[in-house]
Amino acid sequence: MSKYIHIQEAAYEANMQLPKLNLVIFTFGNVSAADRDLGVFAIKPSGVPYEDLTPAKMVIVDFEGKTVEGNLRPSSDTLTHAVLYKHWDKINGIVHTHSTYATAWAQAQRDIPIFGTTHADHTTNDIPCAPPMDDEMIKGDYEYQTGFQIMNHFKEKGLSYEETEMVLVGNHAPFTWGKTPAKAVYNSAVCEAVAQMAFLTEQIRNDSPRLKDALIQKHFERKHGPNSYYGQ
Amino acid sequence: MSKYIHIQEAAYEANMQLPKLNLVIFTFGNVSAADRDLGVFAIKPSGVPYEDLTPAKMVIVDFEGKTVEGNLRPSSDTLTHAVLYKHWDKINGIVHTHSTYATAWAQAQRDIPIFGTTHADHTTNDIPCAPPMDDEMIKGDYEYQTGFQIMNHFKEKGLSYEETEMVLVGNHAPFTWGKTPAKAVYNSAVCEAVAQMAFLTEQIRNDSPRLKDALIQKHFERKHGPNSYYGQ
Amino acid sequence: MSKYIHIQEAAYEANMQLPKLNLVIFTFGNVSAADRDLGVFAIKPSGVPYEDLTPAKMVIVDFEGKTVEGNLRPSSDTLTHAVLYKHWDKINGIVHTHSTYATAWAQAQRDIPIFGTTHADHTTNDIPCAPPMDDEMIKGDYEYQTGFQIMNHFKEKGLSYEETEMVLVGNHAPFTWGKTPAKAVYNSAVCEAVAQMAFLTEQIRNDSPRLKDALIQKHFERKHGPNSYYGQ
Amino acid sequence: MSKYIHIQEAAYEANMQLPKLNLVIFTFGNVSAADRDLGVFAIKPSGVPYEDLTPAKMVIVDFEGKTVEGNLRPSSDTLTHAVLYKHWDKINGIVHTHSTYATAWAQAQRDIPIFGTTHADHTTNDIPCAPPMDDEMIKGDYEYQTGFQIMNHFKEKGLSYEETEMVLVGNHAPFTWGKTPAKAVYNSAVCEAVAQMAFLTEQIRNDSPRLKDALIQKHFERKHGPNSYYGQ
């Protein structure tokens, strides 16, 4: 048995959640699970349908993006995962999907405005949409640069990846992350739900205002602040 | 066995309906069930996934919001439930969800206009949207004040909680209630269905008129009036 | 065993299709099945959840709307069914639902324009929306008048109930019918699908033109004309 | 056992995917599977519900549209399939559905603009919408002419059927194809997903720009180019 079996199992379980949560069809998504002590992550093999996955098929890759163990080719988005793991050292799970509503916002190249407490329960910021990359970066090491595009956008906007665990890549689709692969999957479903609600909110009233600061702070703090009182 | 087992079971059954009716994902909702003779209600524990719930995990709380029995922390919305039970003495079940369409109307801070008989079968009024609270109230005892915000809005608008068993809290999401927890859950599903139909009605014709009074009265009366002829 | 068991079973089977086809929640719909030789129809009892239905619970009613057999109260819409059976002598099944998209068009008081071949496969006309009744008729024998409102609208517009087997009642919801209860249920699902497609068509292009006559005729004729070549 | 059993089974399996993928209700779609050595294809019989299908019921038809084997009447769209197989010699599967969002774009007579990488993963072009035919062609050999309408539109627009494996027929609905029936079904689901995302993208921002060339090329090439690195 592989010494990586624990992250292979975690990655497998998390990948299998994506179709159950209606976040992917066919092979339109991937999840990885990292072990920072071993300096590697397990990630879905490229183009393999979810129903054919097993824990052992998860490919082991290091934070430079080199395959360490496994016979299958890793997800085509592997280098984006590697870059984020290397530079954001508190995350242990990353998810990429093309979920319908979040992808539509990414295609419109718009941040998802914070309109309500469902959103504020998870972050105090609009869900950021990183702009599409320059053509040179796209033609070069595309997936590697996608990771930097995300990180640079967070720097520019003064966002913390520990607070805001999701991003839209302009014209592409959402990436989410978390302290565990399960939390990263949870964030993908939250991102999709918030994206749908924000779409509807603008349709119902096209000048809907952003949520006011007092409500943003209250809802975020009651779940994530030092005096939080949500959960067990 | 707890002497509260009957309301724990009622609350458990009602909570489990929320994911089945597609009204919640993850832990985005809660139901409580009251026993007025005992002066308490059973409510979902905070942040516990629906698949991990059991009747025994339902927390027993009195109408002041103090936990009477149970090892788990009750829902973060418990004080809103307590306030409503204390002041509205004919209700024995309360539901809070972030269901998609109803939440979008709440985020747009709009009442849901009464456009058709599906709506009039359940209330003669637009589904009211209480405005977001003042910042001082938000920063204070937020969930407690949410209960008062709902009740004050009903008073101001001259609405009866016995006729209109649902409200949107502006920027937040719907609360519904009823004589039983099962009826409160039913009202949550009705609120969501009516919210979706009203959204579509405005999209199909942006100057769709409110339902006329004769139809409002007819449909409400045939289900709820003294000469009602709906049901067995 | 009742001598009406054959129509009770047909009505039961047809009613049970409604939740499976996502055309109703809770008790928001009803189907009836007629036997013209016996001069009666079997209809869903009022307010009974689909999961509690049995064939024996279907109520037997004559074409004047009087209950002939059964202990339960028939659907509150029974008189509408009775009027249509009495005057339209080629139909043996009627369905009423509050399906989401069709109801939204009814609430907007608009005919559903014929935009494509999916629609033309079933009728050559826009799906008509009968206007809401005068207040006097609503206050009077409402469900009985609803039947006449539908028939009068068909007369006024020169429509044939044998070709166009569906109608929207303004501010209310769709009714459909057919030579069998199963066909009437099929028509309800078609009406809902066409209503959704027409909604989307206008959203995608707000001046989408009606389908041209040559395509309307071709698609209707290949399924329903004297030289039809669809089906077995 | 028929010597065509291999394509009957392939056509059967592919047809049964359509309801599972929510691409059809009732009999609103059909799939065929071709064997070029035998010069025939197997296609769904007309108007038979999916739950009643068996491999043996698939009708064997040659590329002129003549039935070679089978007691049932083939799909009313058979001649469209025959024309495409005859002229496009690298395809072995064809699918026709009335899937909701793709059909709405067809009804609006608009190409689906390429807005994101989900689209570019599958083709570098907008998904083309062939205009409705002239009335004379509609009144004549309609399904046969539909095949030519599709091919002529590809010629006019300079599109390759090997790269762009999907088309909308104006006022009608989508057709998709592929090297295998399974790939053609996959393309139908992709077409529907891309159609929904494009609809939402325009709703969220009505001047959303087309995807820029560098991203179109990158995403298409990484999946389909000579140096592709997607899949196993």
Side-chain angles (χ1 to χ4, degrees), chain A residues 115-118 122 186 189 196-197 200-201 203-205 208 211-212 214-215 218-219 222 229-232, chain B residues 26-28 46 72-73 76-77 98 100-101 104-105 107-108 110 133 135 138 140 142-143 171-172 199 203:
Chain A
F115 282 134
T117 61
T118 319
H122 299 93
Y186 169 89
Q196 183 179 8
M197 286 176 184
L200 291 169
T201 302
Q203 297 284 318
I204 289 169
R205 177 177 163 198
S208 290
L211 190 60
K212 64 181 180 173
L215 271 170
K218 182 67 189 183
H219 268 263
R222 78 174 190 166
Y229 49 93
Y230 182 89
Q232 301 301 327
Chain B
F26 302 119
T27 61
F28 289 20
S46 181
L72 296 169
R73 184 190 285 177
S76 57
D77 296 305
H98 288 224
T100 307
Y101 288 87
W105 283 92
Q107 292 190 159
R110 286 188 58 197
M133 285 177 266
D135 288 7
I138 292 168
Y142 174 61
E143 292 81 9
N171 285 140
H172 189 165
F199 157 71
Q203 296 285 317

Short mmCIF file of all heavy atoms in Angstrom, two decimals, chain A residues 115-118 122 186 189 196-197 200-201 203-205 208 211-212 214-215 218-219 222 229-232, chain B residues 26-28 46 72-73 76-77 98 100-101 104-105 107-108 110 133 135 138 140 142-143 171-172 199 203:
data_model
loop_
_atom_site.label_atom_id
_atom_site.label_comp_id
_atom_site.label_asym_id
_atom_site.label_seq_id
_atom_site.Cartn_x
_atom_site.Cartn_y
_atom_site.Cartn_z
N PHE A 115 -24.34 40.38 -1.36
CA PHE A 115 -25.71 40.89 -1.27
C PHE A 115 -26.43 40.43 -0.01
O PHE A 115 -27.50 40.94 0.30
CB PHE A 115 -26.54 40.41 -2.47
CG PHE A 115 -26.31 41.15 -3.74
CD1 PHE A 115 -26.13 40.46 -4.94
CD2 PHE A 115 -26.27 42.55 -3.77
CE1 PHE A 115 -25.93 41.15 -6.14
CE2 PHE A 115 -26.09 43.24 -4.97
CZ PHE A 115 -25.91 42.54 -6.15
N GLY A 116 -25.88 39.43 0.67
CA GLY A 116 -26.66 38.92 1.80
C GLY A 116 -25.81 38.16 2.80
O GLY A 116 -24.59 38.01 2.64
N THR A 117 -26.51 37.65 3.81
CA THR A 117 -25.80 37.00 4.91
C THR A 117 -25.28 35.62 4.53
O THR A 117 -24.32 35.14 5.13
CB THR A 117 -26.74 36.86 6.13
OG1 THR A 117 -27.85 36.04 5.75
CG2 THR A 117 -27.24 38.21 6.59
N THR A 118 -25.90 34.97 3.53
CA THR A 118 -25.37 33.68 3.08
C THR A 118 -23.93 33.85 2.62
O THR A 118 -23.07 33.01 2.88
CB THR A 118 -26.21 33.14 1.90
OG1 THR A 118 -27.59 33.38 2.14
CG2 THR A 118 -25.96 31.67 1.67
N HIS A 122 -19.46 33.48 4.93
CA HIS A 122 -18.26 32.81 4.43
C HIS A 122 -17.10 33.73 4.12
O HIS A 122 -15.94 33.30 4.14
CB HIS A 122 -18.63 31.96 3.21
CG HIS A 122 -19.63 30.90 3.54
ND1 HIS A 122 -20.98 31.08 3.40
CD2 HIS A 122 -19.48 29.66 4.09
CE1 HIS A 122 -21.62 30.00 3.82
NE2 HIS A 122 -20.75 29.12 4.25
N TYR A 186 -16.78 21.94 0.18
CA TYR A 186 -17.85 22.75 0.78
C TYR A 186 -17.84 24.16 0.18
O TYR A 186 -18.86 24.69 -0.22
CB TYR A 186 -17.65 22.79 2.30
CG TYR A 186 -18.51 23.78 3.04
CD1 TYR A 186 -19.78 23.43 3.51
CD2 TYR A 186 -18.07 25.08 3.28
CE1 TYR A 186 -20.57 24.35 4.19
CE2 TYR A 186 -18.86 26.01 3.95
CZ TYR A 186 -20.11 25.64 4.40
OH TYR A 186 -20.90 26.55 5.06
N ALA A 189 -19.38 24.40 -3.28
CA ALA A 189 -20.84 24.39 -3.27
C ALA A 189 -21.38 25.73 -2.79
O ALA A 189 -22.38 26.24 -3.30
CB ALA A 189 -21.36 23.25 -2.40
N GLN A 196 -25.60 31.82 -7.66
CA GLN A 196 -26.98 31.76 -8.15
C GLN A 196 -27.85 32.81 -7.47
O GLN A 196 -28.63 33.51 -8.12
CB GLN A 196 -27.58 30.36 -7.92
CG GLN A 196 -28.99 30.24 -8.48
CD GLN A 196 -29.62 28.87 -8.31
OE1 GLN A 196 -29.06 28.01 -7.64
NE2 GLN A 196 -30.77 28.67 -8.92
N MET A 197 -27.71 32.94 -6.16
CA MET A 197 -28.50 33.94 -5.42
C MET A 197 -28.18 35.36 -5.89
O MET A 197 -29.09 36.20 -6.00
CB MET A 197 -28.21 33.83 -3.92
CG MET A 197 -28.84 32.63 -3.25
SD MET A 197 -28.32 32.59 -1.51
CE MET A 197 -29.08 31.04 -1.00
N LEU A 200 -29.87 36.03 -9.22
CA LEU A 200 -31.31 36.27 -9.05
C LEU A 200 -31.58 37.63 -8.40
O LEU A 200 -32.53 38.32 -8.76
CB LEU A 200 -31.93 35.15 -8.20
CG LEU A 200 -31.99 33.78 -8.88
CD1 LEU A 200 -32.37 32.70 -7.88
CD2 LEU A 200 -32.99 33.78 -10.04
N THR A 201 -30.74 38.00 -7.44
CA THR A 201 -30.93 39.27 -6.75
C THR A 201 -30.89 40.44 -7.73
O THR A 201 -31.73 41.35 -7.68
CB THR A 201 -29.84 39.44 -5.66
OG1 THR A 201 -29.94 38.34 -4.76
CG2 THR A 201 -29.99 40.75 -4.90
N GLN A 203 -31.51 40.24 -10.94
CA GLN A 203 -32.66 40.14 -11.84
C GLN A 203 -33.92 40.71 -11.17
O GLN A 203 -34.74 41.35 -11.81
CB GLN A 203 -32.92 38.67 -12.22
CG GLN A 203 -31.79 38.01 -12.99
CD GLN A 203 -31.74 38.45 -14.44
OE1 GLN A 203 -32.75 38.56 -15.08
NE2 GLN A 203 -30.55 38.73 -14.94
N ILE A 204 -34.06 40.46 -9.88
CA ILE A 204 -35.25 40.90 -9.15
C ILE A 204 -35.20 42.41 -8.91
O ILE A 204 -36.23 43.08 -8.93
CB ILE A 204 -35.36 40.13 -7.81
CG1 ILE A 204 -35.74 38.67 -8.10
CG2 ILE A 204 -36.37 40.77 -6.87
CD1 ILE A 204 -35.63 37.73 -6.91
N ARG A 205 -34.00 42.95 -8.72
CA ARG A 205 -33.86 44.40 -8.52
C ARG A 205 -32.47 44.79 -9.02
O ARG A 205 -31.47 44.45 -8.38
CB ARG A 205 -34.01 44.72 -7.04
CG ARG A 205 -33.81 46.20 -6.74
CD ARG A 205 -34.03 46.49 -5.26
NE ARG A 205 -33.44 47.77 -4.91
CZ ARG A 205 -33.16 48.17 -3.68
NH1 ARG A 205 -33.44 47.37 -2.66
NH2 ARG A 205 -32.62 49.33 -3.45
N SER A 208 -29.84 46.50 -6.67
CA SER A 208 -29.71 45.96 -5.32
C SER A 208 -28.39 46.42 -4.71
O SER A 208 -27.34 46.28 -5.33
CB SER A 208 -29.75 44.42 -5.35
OG SER A 208 -31.03 43.96 -5.70
N LEU A 211 -24.47 44.49 0.75
CA LEU A 211 -24.81 44.31 2.15
C LEU A 211 -24.07 45.37 2.98
O LEU A 211 -22.92 45.69 2.70
CB LEU A 211 -24.35 42.91 2.58
CG LEU A 211 -24.79 42.39 3.94
CD1 LEU A 211 -26.30 42.32 4.05
CD2 LEU A 211 -24.18 41.01 4.18
N LYS A 212 -24.73 45.90 4.00
CA LYS A 212 -24.06 46.94 4.78
C LYS A 212 -23.03 46.34 5.75
O LYS A 212 -23.15 45.19 6.17
CB LYS A 212 -25.06 47.84 5.49
CG LYS A 212 -25.91 47.18 6.54
CD LYS A 212 -26.86 48.23 7.13
CE LYS A 212 -27.76 47.62 8.19
NZ LYS A 212 -28.56 48.67 8.87
N ALA A 214 -22.25 46.55 8.89
CA ALA A 214 -22.59 45.97 10.20
C ALA A 214 -23.03 44.51 10.04
O ALA A 214 -22.66 43.64 10.84
CB ALA A 214 -23.69 46.79 10.88
N LEU A 215 -23.82 44.23 8.98
CA LEU A 215 -24.28 42.85 8.76
C LEU A 215 -23.15 41.95 8.28
O LEU A 215 -23.07 40.77 8.63
CB LEU A 215 -25.45 42.82 7.77
CG LEU A 215 -26.83 42.99 8.40
CD1 LEU A 215 -27.90 43.19 7.32
CD2 LEU A 215 -27.19 41.76 9.25
N LYS A 218 -21.09 41.20 11.39
CA LYS A 218 -21.82 40.36 12.34
C LYS A 218 -21.83 38.90 11.89
O LYS A 218 -21.51 37.99 12.66
CB LYS A 218 -23.27 40.86 12.46
CG LYS A 218 -24.08 40.07 13.48
CD LYS A 218 -23.55 40.32 14.88
CE LYS A 218 -24.16 39.42 15.92
NZ LYS A 218 -23.65 39.77 17.26
N HIS A 219 -22.21 38.69 10.62
CA HIS A 219 -22.35 37.31 10.17
C HIS A 219 -21.00 36.62 10.04
O HIS A 219 -20.88 35.43 10.37
CB HIS A 219 -23.17 37.23 8.88
CG HIS A 219 -24.62 37.04 9.15
ND1 HIS A 219 -25.23 35.82 9.12
CD2 HIS A 219 -25.57 37.93 9.54
CE1 HIS A 219 -26.50 35.95 9.45
NE2 HIS A 219 -26.75 37.22 9.70
N ARG A 222 -19.73 35.92 13.71
CA ARG A 222 -20.41 34.92 14.54
C ARG A 222 -20.02 33.50 14.12
O ARG A 222 -20.16 32.57 14.89
CB ARG A 222 -21.94 35.12 14.57
CG ARG A 222 -22.70 34.65 13.38
CD ARG A 222 -24.24 34.79 13.62
NE ARG A 222 -24.99 34.13 12.58
CZ ARG A 222 -26.28 33.84 12.63
NH1 ARG A 222 -27.00 34.18 13.67
NH2 ARG A 222 -26.88 33.23 11.64
N TYR A 229 -19.93 31.87 17.72
CA TYR A 229 -20.84 31.00 18.46
C TYR A 229 -21.64 30.11 17.52
O TYR A 229 -22.74 29.69 17.83
CB TYR A 229 -21.77 31.83 19.37
CG TYR A 229 -22.46 33.01 18.71
CD1 TYR A 229 -23.72 32.89 18.16
CD2 TYR A 229 -21.84 34.26 18.67
CE1 TYR A 229 -24.36 33.98 17.57
CE2 TYR A 229 -22.46 35.35 18.09
CZ TYR A 229 -23.73 35.21 17.54
OH TYR A 229 -24.35 36.28 16.96
N TYR A 230 -21.05 29.83 16.35
CA TYR A 230 -21.69 28.92 15.40
C TYR A 230 -20.98 27.57 15.47
O TYR A 230 -19.75 27.53 15.58
CB TYR A 230 -21.60 29.48 13.98
CG TYR A 230 -22.28 28.62 12.95
CD1 TYR A 230 -23.62 28.80 12.65
CD2 TYR A 230 -21.58 27.60 12.31
CE1 TYR A 230 -24.26 28.00 11.71
CE2 TYR A 230 -22.21 26.78 11.37
CZ TYR A 230 -23.56 26.98 11.08
OH TYR A 230 -24.18 26.18 10.16
N GLY A 231 -21.73 26.49 15.35
CA GLY A 231 -21.13 25.16 15.36
C GLY A 231 -20.85 24.66 16.75
O GLY A 231 -21.23 25.30 17.74
N GLN A 232 -20.22 23.49 16.85
CA GLN A 232 -20.02 22.84 18.16
C GLN A 232 -18.57 22.99 18.64
O GLN A 232 -17.69 23.27 17.89
CB GLN A 232 -20.37 21.35 18.03
CG GLN A 232 -21.80 21.12 17.59
CD GLN A 232 -22.84 21.73 18.55
OE1 GLN A 232 -22.60 21.77 19.76
NE2 GLN A 232 -23.95 22.21 18.02
N PHE B 26 -25.98 21.63 3.04
CA PHE B 26 -25.17 21.59 4.26
C PHE B 26 -26.02 21.88 5.50
O PHE B 26 -27.00 21.20 5.73
CB PHE B 26 -23.98 22.53 4.14
CG PHE B 26 -23.11 22.20 2.97
CD1 PHE B 26 -22.91 23.11 1.94
CD2 PHE B 26 -22.53 20.94 2.84
CE1 PHE B 26 -22.12 22.80 0.83
CE2 PHE B 26 -21.74 20.61 1.75
CZ PHE B 26 -21.55 21.55 0.75
N THR B 27 -25.66 22.92 6.24
CA THR B 27 -26.35 23.20 7.51
C THR B 27 -27.13 24.52 7.43
O THR B 27 -27.35 25.17 8.45
CB THR B 27 -25.33 23.27 8.67
OG1 THR B 27 -24.43 24.34 8.37
CG2 THR B 27 -24.55 21.98 8.79
N PHE B 28 -27.54 24.91 6.20
CA PHE B 28 -28.16 26.22 5.98
C PHE B 28 -29.62 26.29 6.38
O PHE B 28 -30.44 26.80 5.60
CB PHE B 28 -28.07 26.59 4.50
CG PHE B 28 -26.71 26.93 3.98
CD1 PHE B 28 -25.56 26.54 4.63
CD2 PHE B 28 -26.58 27.65 2.80
CE1 PHE B 28 -24.30 26.85 4.11
CE2 PHE B 28 -25.33 27.97 2.28
CZ PHE B 28 -24.19 27.57 2.93
N SER B 46 -26.39 23.57 16.44
CA SER B 46 -25.71 24.45 15.50
C SER B 46 -24.65 23.71 14.68
O SER B 46 -23.84 22.95 15.23
CB SER B 46 -25.02 25.59 16.27
OG SER B 46 -24.38 26.47 15.38
N LEU B 72 -25.32 19.69 23.25
CA LEU B 72 -24.85 20.44 22.10
C LEU B 72 -25.31 21.89 22.18
O LEU B 72 -26.31 22.20 22.84
CB LEU B 72 -25.36 19.79 20.81
CG LEU B 72 -24.84 18.37 20.55
CD1 LEU B 72 -25.61 17.72 19.42
CD2 LEU B 72 -23.34 18.40 20.24
N ARG B 73 -24.59 22.75 21.47
CA ARG B 73 -24.99 24.15 21.39
C ARG B 73 -26.17 24.26 20.42
O ARG B 73 -26.12 23.69 19.33
CB ARG B 73 -23.79 24.96 20.89
CG ARG B 73 -24.02 26.45 20.84
CD ARG B 73 -22.88 27.13 20.10
NE ARG B 73 -21.67 27.20 20.91
CZ ARG B 73 -20.52 27.70 20.47
NH1 ARG B 73 -20.43 28.16 19.23
NH2 ARG B 73 -19.47 27.73 21.24
N SER B 76 -27.53 28.84 16.04
CA SER B 76 -27.17 30.24 16.30
C SER B 76 -28.40 31.16 16.17
O SER B 76 -28.38 32.28 16.64
CB SER B 76 -26.06 30.69 15.36
OG SER B 76 -26.45 30.51 14.01
N ASP B 77 -29.46 30.67 15.54
CA ASP B 77 -30.67 31.48 15.39
C ASP B 77 -31.68 31.23 16.51
O ASP B 77 -32.82 31.68 16.42
CB ASP B 77 -31.33 31.17 14.03
CG ASP B 77 -30.43 31.56 12.87
OD1 ASP B 77 -30.02 32.73 12.82
OD2 ASP B 77 -30.12 30.70 12.03
N HIS B 98 -32.17 29.19 3.95
CA HIS B 98 -31.64 30.13 2.95
C HIS B 98 -32.04 29.62 1.56
O HIS B 98 -31.20 29.56 0.66
CB HIS B 98 -30.12 30.27 3.08
CG HIS B 98 -29.67 31.02 4.30
ND1 HIS B 98 -28.68 31.97 4.27
CD2 HIS B 98 -30.10 30.99 5.59
CE1 HIS B 98 -28.50 32.47 5.48
NE2 HIS B 98 -29.34 31.88 6.31
N THR B 100 -33.17 29.27 -2.18
CA THR B 100 -32.57 30.12 -3.21
C THR B 100 -33.41 31.34 -3.62
O THR B 100 -32.93 32.47 -3.57
CB THR B 100 -32.29 29.27 -4.46
OG1 THR B 100 -31.50 28.14 -4.05
CG2 THR B 100 -31.53 30.05 -5.51
N TYR B 101 -34.63 31.12 -4.07
CA TYR B 101 -35.42 32.23 -4.61
C TYR B 101 -35.92 33.17 -3.52
O TYR B 101 -35.91 34.39 -3.69
CB TYR B 101 -36.58 31.70 -5.47
CG TYR B 101 -36.11 31.12 -6.77
CD1 TYR B 101 -35.72 29.80 -6.88
CD2 TYR B 101 -36.00 31.92 -7.91
CE1 TYR B 101 -35.25 29.27 -8.07
CE2 TYR B 101 -35.54 31.40 -9.11
CZ TYR B 101 -35.17 30.07 -9.19
OH TYR B 101 -34.69 29.56 -10.37
N ALA B 104 -33.13 35.35 -2.52
CA ALA B 104 -32.85 36.38 -3.52
C ALA B 104 -33.79 37.58 -3.36
O ALA B 104 -33.37 38.74 -3.45
CB ALA B 104 -32.93 35.81 -4.93
N TRP B 105 -35.08 37.32 -3.10
CA TRP B 105 -36.01 38.44 -2.84
C TRP B 105 -35.60 39.19 -1.57
O TRP B 105 -35.67 40.42 -1.53
CB TRP B 105 -37.45 37.92 -2.70
CG TRP B 105 -38.10 37.59 -4.01
CD1 TRP B 105 -38.12 36.38 -4.64
CD2 TRP B 105 -38.85 38.48 -4.87
NE1 TRP B 105 -38.82 36.46 -5.83
CE2 TRP B 105 -39.28 37.73 -5.99
CE3 TRP B 105 -39.19 39.83 -4.79
CZ2 TRP B 105 -40.04 38.30 -7.03
CZ3 TRP B 105 -39.95 40.39 -5.83
CH2 TRP B 105 -40.36 39.63 -6.93
N GLN B 107 -32.59 39.45 -0.40
CA GLN B 107 -31.38 40.21 -0.72
C GLN B 107 -31.72 41.48 -1.52
O GLN B 107 -31.04 42.49 -1.42
CB GLN B 107 -30.39 39.33 -1.48
CG GLN B 107 -29.82 38.21 -0.61
CD GLN B 107 -28.65 37.45 -1.22
OE1 GLN B 107 -27.89 36.82 -0.50
NE2 GLN B 107 -28.49 37.50 -2.54
N ALA B 108 -32.75 41.40 -2.33
CA ALA B 108 -33.21 42.56 -3.10
C ALA B 108 -34.08 43.48 -2.23
O ALA B 108 -34.48 44.55 -2.68
CB ALA B 108 -34.00 42.11 -4.32
N ARG B 110 -37.14 43.24 -1.23
CA ARG B 110 -38.47 43.49 -1.80
C ARG B 110 -39.49 42.50 -1.24
O ARG B 110 -39.19 41.32 -1.06
CB ARG B 110 -38.44 43.30 -3.33
CG ARG B 110 -37.76 44.40 -4.09
CD ARG B 110 -37.96 44.21 -5.60
NE ARG B 110 -39.38 44.17 -5.94
CZ ARG B 110 -39.86 43.71 -7.10
NH1 ARG B 110 -39.03 43.23 -8.02
NH2 ARG B 110 -41.15 43.71 -7.35
N MET B 133 -31.98 45.63 10.06
CA MET B 133 -31.99 46.39 11.33
C MET B 133 -30.99 47.54 11.32
O MET B 133 -30.05 47.57 10.51
CB MET B 133 -31.60 45.45 12.47
CG MET B 133 -32.68 44.50 12.86
SD MET B 133 -32.08 43.40 14.15
CE MET B 133 -31.52 42.02 13.15
N ASP B 135 -27.80 49.57 12.69
CA ASP B 135 -26.50 49.01 13.02
C ASP B 135 -26.36 48.70 14.51
O ASP B 135 -25.76 47.69 14.89
CB ASP B 135 -25.38 49.98 12.61
CG ASP B 135 -25.22 50.01 11.09
OD1 ASP B 135 -26.04 49.39 10.38
OD2 ASP B 135 -24.28 50.67 10.61
N ILE B 138 -27.86 45.39 15.25
CA ILE B 138 -27.05 44.31 14.68
C ILE B 138 -25.85 44.00 15.58
O ILE B 138 -25.52 42.85 15.85
CB ILE B 138 -26.57 44.68 13.26
CG1 ILE B 138 -27.77 44.73 12.30
CG2 ILE B 138 -25.52 43.69 12.77
CD1 ILE B 138 -27.47 45.36 10.96
N GLY B 140 -25.64 44.58 18.68
CA GLY B 140 -26.07 44.11 20.00
C GLY B 140 -26.47 42.64 19.96
O GLY B 140 -25.76 41.81 19.41
N TYR B 142 -28.05 40.35 18.31
CA TYR B 142 -28.53 40.30 16.93
C TYR B 142 -29.71 39.35 16.71
O TYR B 142 -30.74 39.74 16.13
CB TYR B 142 -27.36 39.91 16.03
CG TYR B 142 -27.70 39.67 14.59
CD1 TYR B 142 -28.25 40.67 13.80
CD2 TYR B 142 -27.46 38.42 13.99
CE1 TYR B 142 -28.55 40.45 12.46
CE2 TYR B 142 -27.75 38.20 12.66
CZ TYR B 142 -28.30 39.21 11.91
OH TYR B 142 -28.60 38.99 10.59
N GLU B 143 -29.59 38.12 17.14
CA GLU B 143 -30.63 37.14 16.84
C GLU B 143 -31.92 37.46 17.63
O GLU B 143 -33.02 37.23 17.14
CB GLU B 143 -30.15 35.72 17.15
CG GLU B 143 -29.05 35.25 16.20
CD GLU B 143 -27.67 35.76 16.57
OE1 GLU B 143 -27.52 36.36 17.68
OE2 GLU B 143 -26.73 35.59 15.78
N ASN B 171 -31.98 41.26 3.37
CA ASN B 171 -30.56 40.92 3.23
C ASN B 171 -30.20 39.57 3.83
O ASN B 171 -29.06 39.14 3.75
CB ASN B 171 -29.62 41.97 3.84
CG ASN B 171 -29.50 43.20 3.00
OD1 ASN B 171 -29.48 44.31 3.49
ND2 ASN B 171 -29.46 43.01 1.68
N HIS B 172 -31.18 38.94 4.46
CA HIS B 172 -30.89 37.67 5.10
C HIS B 172 -31.65 36.55 4.36
O HIS B 172 -31.18 36.13 3.30
CB HIS B 172 -31.24 37.77 6.59
CG HIS B 172 -30.80 36.63 7.42
ND1 HIS B 172 -30.75 36.67 8.78
CD2 HIS B 172 -30.38 35.39 7.07
CE1 HIS B 172 -30.32 35.50 9.23
NE2 HIS B 172 -30.09 34.71 8.23
N PHE B 199 -40.65 35.69 -9.41
CA PHE B 199 -39.46 36.09 -10.19
C PHE B 199 -39.73 35.90 -11.68
O PHE B 199 -39.52 36.80 -12.50
CB PHE B 199 -38.26 35.24 -9.74
CG PHE B 199 -37.17 35.13 -10.75
CD1 PHE B 199 -36.35 36.22 -11.06
CD2 PHE B 199 -36.95 33.94 -11.43
CE1 PHE B 199 -35.35 36.11 -12.02
CE2 PHE B 199 -35.94 33.82 -12.37
CZ PHE B 199 -35.14 34.92 -12.67
N GLN B 203 -40.16 38.54 -15.01
CA GLN B 203 -39.28 38.40 -16.17
C GLN B 203 -40.12 38.29 -17.45
O GLN B 203 -39.74 38.82 -18.50
CB GLN B 203 -38.40 37.15 -16.04
CG GLN B 203 -37.44 37.18 -14.87
CD GLN B 203 -36.26 38.08 -15.10
OE1 GLN B 203 -35.69 38.09 -16.17
NE2 GLN B 203 -35.91 38.89 -14.12
#
